[in-house]
Amino acid sequence: MKDERIGWPAYFMMQAAMLASRSTCTRLHVGAVIVKDGRIIASGYNGSVTGTPHCTEVGDLLIDGHCIRAVHAEQNALMQLAKMGIAAEGAEIYVTDFPCVHCTKFLLQAGIKKINYLRNYNNDEFAMSLIKAKNVALKQVPLTQGDVQLVDFEKYVMEGN
């Protein structure tokens, strides 16, 4: 009998995509999950510092073309691990968009051993060289229509809301 379930890489990437729907960034919605030994150990999405106004409420705070109001999804996921006292060493990350150079440095410094991403996004040359120098695996994980169709969303939608 053929296994009709979604594969693990697509499953984790779909979790990251779902998290991106919580983003309060007006420019790009990004989600990330950190996985260790086949289990999600942390997650994050991009948005303002907890308890402060969101870009969706007050607008972007742009300096040199970058919004400094937002904390990146990867950063939020790593900080969640830090708050819980869990090491990222040896884990992998699934992120909807290729990490910026700063997030790449944080991920490598934290001990992430594999970066899985859905979409290319301003892939930085220096970030790529760091990934290669640290011998960190890098893989683009596309989501297909077939992956999405394996999830029967209609059975989870309640009638009459």
Side-chain angles (χ1 to χ4, degrees), residues 116-149:
N116 301 283
Y117 66 99
L118 176 63
R119 300 178 293 224
N120 288 305
Y121 180 72
N122 298 331
N123 300 21
D124 185 85
E125 209 173 292
F126 181 61
M128 296 293 276
S129 70
L130 287 173
I131 291 166
K132 186 176 181 179
K134 294 289 290 178
N135 201 28
V136 167
L138 182 64
K139 183 176 183 190
Q140 188 168 23
V141 177
L143 290 177
T144 67
Q145 190 65 32
D147 295 328
V148 176
Q149 287 175 344

Side-chain angles (χ1 to χ4, degrees), residues 30-132:
V30 180
V33 294
I34 298 177
V35 175
K36 193 170 190 176
D37 300 325
R39 301 282 182 242
I40 296 173
I41 59 172
S43 62
Y45 56 86
N46 57 331
S48 300
V49 172
T50 304
T52 67
H54 298 288
C55 294
T56 53
E57 299 167 337
V58 295
D60 297 327
L61 183 54
L62 296 177
I63 295 182
D64 295 328
H66 300 282
C67 180
I68 63 167
R69 187 181 311 284
V71 179
H72 292 193
E74 303 93 325
Q75 296 167 1
N76 272 323
L78 287 172
M79 286 182 278
Q80 187 180 62
L81 288 178
K83 283 182 177 181
M84 296 186 304
I86 299 171
E89 187 71 38
E92 60 184 302
I93 190 165
Y94 287 80
V95 61
T96 55
D97 296 271
F98 193 90
C100 74
V101 66
H102 300 295
C103 286
T104 298
K105 292 187 294 184
F106 300 149
L107 293 169
L108 299 179
Q109 196 72 355
I112 295 292
K113 294 300 179 198
K114 185 175 185 182
I115 299 171
N116 301 283
Y117 66 99
L118 176 63
R119 300 178 293 224
N120 288 305
Y121 180 72
N122 298 331
N123 300 21
D124 185 85
E125 209 173 292
F126 181 61
M128 296 293 276
S129 70
L130 287 173
I131 291 166
K132 186 176 181 179

Side-chain angles (χ1 to χ4, degrees), residues 9-22:
Y11 169 80
F12 292 129
M13 193 58 75
M14 285 181 80
Q15 296 293 319
M18 184 64 73
L19 281 159
S21 72
R22 291 282 305 153

